[in-house]
Amino acid sequence: MPSPTRSGLPVTPALTIPQAELTWRFSRSSGPGGQGVNTTDSRVELSWDVTGSAVLTATQRARLTERLGPRLVDGVLTVAASEHREQLRNRAAASRRLVSLVAEGIAPPAKGRRATRPTRGSQERRLAAKKQRGQTKQLRGGPRSTRRDDG
């Protein structure tokens, strides 16, 4: 579990978001919580300026802006967490969410699949299995299912 430290938020072994680039906002959370929900600021919003970040390479920045485009508002990625009653747990949840979004966003694209043809053996096995299945179904209904002349 990545936790916010003085040095920053580790995303990959090569990429760590500096603490100075992260913006935290706290507010009152909605939902159950008794009297404490009205007094504690347990909801957490974590923001990071993707377009202005100094730690991203040009390729990483381009991938993030393309893949997270709808989530970015003026180049800033914001993640909210309010599922826990304690602010500390919501801070950890927001950090995890931001790290996973950024890690998925900067990952290189998957290698394309090379088209192949099914082997003759696999085709024969598939057809034999279909024939066996049909015979099994034909034996199910008793004498009426074997007659083919009723239309």
Side-chain angles (χ1 to χ4, degrees), residues 2-5 8-11 17-27 42-50 68 71-73 75-83 87-102:
S3 62
T5 60
L9 202 58
V11 178
I17 302 172
Q19 195 66 34
E21 290 187 7
L22 298 173
T23 307
W24 297 89
R25 238 181 91 212
F26 308 102
S27 61
S42 60
R43 182 176 189 271
V44 174
E45 283 186 19
L46 178 58
S47 300
W48 179 49
D49 186 7
V50 174
L68 300 177
R71 289 200 64 147
L72 297 178
V73 178
V76 177
L77 176 64
T78 302
V79 175
S82 63
E83 58 265 16
Q87 186 188 98
L88 192 62
R89 289 175 68 188
N90 282 331
R91 285 175 73 117
S95 298
R96 277 193 307 271
R97 217 168 281 158
L98 182 76
V99 164
S100 68
L101 276 172
V102 173

Side-chain angles (χ1 to χ4, degrees), residues 56-80:
L56 293 175
T57 64
T59 307
Q60 291 173 333
R61 186 174 289 112
R63 281 185 189 155
L64 278 175
T65 52
E66 177 194 338
R67 293 179 182 169
L68 300 177
R71 289 200 64 147
L72 297 178
V73 178
D74 296 331
V76 177
L77 176 64
T78 302
V79 175

